Amino acid sequence: MTYPNPLRFNPAYSVVKQYFVHLDDSVPQKIVVHKDSPRGVHFRRAGPRQKVYFNSDEVHACIVTCGGLCPGLNTVIREIVCGLYHMYGVNKILGIDGGYRGFYSKNTIPLTPKVVNDIHKRGGTIIGTSRGGHDTSKIVDSIQDRGINQVYIIGGDGTQKGAAVIYEEVRRRGLKVAVAGIPKTIDNDIPVIDKSFGFDTAVEEAQRAINAAHVEAESTENGVGVVKLMGRYSGFIAMYATLASRDVDLCLIPESPFYLEGEGGLFEFVEKRLKESGHMVIVIAEGAGQELLAESLQSADQKDASGNKLLRDVGLWISHKIKEHFAKNHKMDITLKYIDPTYMIRAIPSNASDNVYCTLLAQSAVHGAMAGYTGFTSGLVNGRQTYIPFNRITEKQNMVVITDRMWARLLSSTNQPSFLGPKDLAEAKKQEEHPTGLLDGENCKEDHQPGHVGTMFNSSALLGCLNCMQ
């Protein structure tokens, strides 16, 4: 059974021409294609539908945040609550306290527009977060026992994998529950989407640390400023902060290996730059150079509650190595300052750009869940809001492509060495994956029926691959 969308009677939306999204509207994942290539992968366009699956009075929604902090979490929470309440007249909304384990081990927090009114001005998340604690059976038991029929899950790739498992268990039990995700990762390492919320804020705040390092470095003879930024596996923050700053001489990211000793190595470049300019600034992502640390620091691999490998502090390590090298091999005295702004950046409120983006993500998720879609993540693809199936979001990580133009722009901006030989470049090109996940001419094997509560989840999709629809 479906119902007329309450937005039809909302004066705020009645003036909008063609406000409702057609069921067949889609957004291509890849815009630039060869003239003879297939149309490729498309995703359902996000937005309100003319008919909704849920009666507003019967909706019992919940929101959960998982993983590390990120600017914009409170904004997303606020806009989900306000979207449900003001656009669809939903009154029963719960915040799950403390991440996934909060479903079965903590109390819930009632959320109303009054409660969330000004939370976007604060960093963190008012409903708490945690890593791990994902017990699928207990979580779905809690959803079932509380009568929850809409679940909004805000988190990164690990959280979205957990959301996919919850969705499958809900589907297995035959529950009429919509499971919607909002992708959260400050590192911008979730694939398919244009960017993740909080990323713009992180790059902007990183500028303060870079500027401080530059001031310290240029104020002393042979001054070196080292700034460590977030980026476990993907160096997007370091790359964009470097390009925006113009004060950085060397940017090191996980995707681009480097070496210290010998001709063309890092030590040689540092010495050259200090002789030329008298100072330099180095930006390094937290996941860069981990293989070098593993060689020099023998210790057992440890993991956090989410299963992520605990990384060693590459910023401290490289600072020590640089000071050690110049103390042993050169008469040149250097003054090195190391800055790690990681947790300061994670804890700040989102900026204006991210606030707008968070609003769009949250409202799109609400529109999708109310229409009965499930098993999807709300995301921006080529500038358009879309519904992306969980399996597409979790199948790989988004990483800087070091054979792409953006990395070339950085190298030309900093005039740093690439540290790559011909063999390394060939290997990088070989490992580079096609952006759509489908090779030209390859047929898609997905089941293309949209995941929908009303049809008992015909697939995990919401994916329309128009290869098979021509």
Side-chain angles (χ1 to χ4, degrees), residues 29 41 392 395-396 433-440 442:
Q29 182 175 356
V41 176
R392 285 284 171 176
E395 64 187 0
K396 63 179 181 179
E433 295 184 9
H434 194 278
T436 63
L438 290 174
L439 299 176
D440 288 346
E442 181 182 358

Side-chain angles (χ1 to χ4, degrees), residues 70-71 185-187 197-208 229-230 237 241 341 345-346 348-351 354:
C70 175
T185 168
I186 201 168
D187 294 345
F197 73 83
F199 176 72
D200 279 354
T201 306
V203 172
E204 184 177 302
E205 188 67 15
Q207 300 301 293
R208 303 179 191 275
L229 297 175
M230 293 79 72
I237 291 178
I345 294 175
R346 290 182 186 277
I348 64 172
S350 53
N351 64 11
D354 274 324

Side-chain angles (χ1 to χ4, degrees), residues 245-413:
S245 170
R246 307 296 177 180
D247 287 331
V248 179
D249 300 279
L250 178 63
C251 178
L252 303 171
I253 61 173
E255 297 90 334
S256 182
F258 63 93
Y259 55 96
L260 303 178
E261 307 277 356
E263 183 178 353
L266 184 142
F267 292 149
E268 181 183 87
F269 177 71
V270 172
E271 181 181 352
K272 176 185 175 185
R273 186 53 56 91
L274 288 177
K275 287 180 179 178
E276 291 173 350
S277 305
H279 65 274
M280 75 176 299
V281 175
I282 300 172
V283 167
I284 185 166
E286 62 180 322
Q290 290 295 316
E291 68 283 354
L292 299 178
L293 273 79
E295 293 174 5
S296 60
L297 303 174
Q298 297 297 324
S299 62
D301 288 340
Q302 295 178 314
K303 295 184 178 181
D304 63 17
S306 297
N308 298 315
K309 182 180 177 181
L310 289 175
L311 302 179
R312 301 174 178 90
D313 192 332
V314 70
L316 275 178
W317 175 81
I318 203 164
S319 298
H320 172 73
K321 284 292 185 181
I322 291 172
K323 288 190 284 188
E324 184 182 64
H325 171 78
F326 280 93
K328 285 183 178 179
N329 303 307
H330 296 272
K331 296 178 181 179
M332 183 187 298
D333 293 325
I334 67 167
T335 302
L336 189 146
K337 303 294 184 183
Y338 172 52
I339 299 175
D340 181 358
T342 299
Y343 293 104
M344 294 176 65
I345 294 175
R346 290 182 186 277
I348 64 172
S350 53
N351 64 11
S353 172
D354 274 324
N355 270 336
V356 173
Y357 187 31
C358 289
T359 300
L360 298 178
L361 289 172
Q363 291 188 357
S364 294
V366 168
H367 291 317
M370 286 299 300
Y373 288 121
T374 186
F376 71 90
T377 292
S378 168
L380 193 70
V381 176
N382 292 322
R384 294 286 186 175
Q385 292 292 325
T386 64
Y387 297 139
I388 307 165
F390 284 141
N391 65 301
R392 285 284 171 176
I393 287 291
T394 59
E395 64 187 0
K396 63 179 181 179
Q397 283 184 309
N398 189 30
M399 301 175 75
V400 174
V401 179
I402 60 173
T403 55
D404 201 2
R405 288 190 181 96
M406 189 58 77
W407 185 243
R409 292 183 182 110
L410 181 139
L411 295 178
S412 64
S413 174

Side-chain angles (χ1 to χ4, degrees), residues 395-469:
E395 64 187 0
K396 63 179 181 179
Q397 283 184 309
N398 189 30
M399 301 175 75
V400 174
V401 179
I402 60 173
T403 55
D404 201 2
R405 288 190 181 96
M406 189 58 77
W407 185 243
R409 292 183 182 110
L410 181 139
L411 295 178
S412 64
S413 174
T414 61
N415 291 314
Q416 70 183 65
S418 68
F419 300 108
L420 295 174
K423 184 177 179 181
D424 298 312
L425 284 170
E427 185 65 24
K429 288 181 180 179
K430 181 180 178 182
Q431 291 179 354
E432 181 182 347
E433 295 184 9
H434 194 278
T436 63
L438 290 174
L439 299 176
D440 288 346
E442 181 182 358
N443 288 324
C444 179
K445 301 297 190 292
E446 295 284 345
D447 171 10
H448 299 301
Q449 296 301 313
H452 197 282
V453 178
T455 55
M456 292 305 297
F457 320 96
N458 283 344
S459 80
S460 63
L462 293 182
L463 170 70
C465 174
L466 299 191
N467 267 345
C468 308
M469 299 181 182

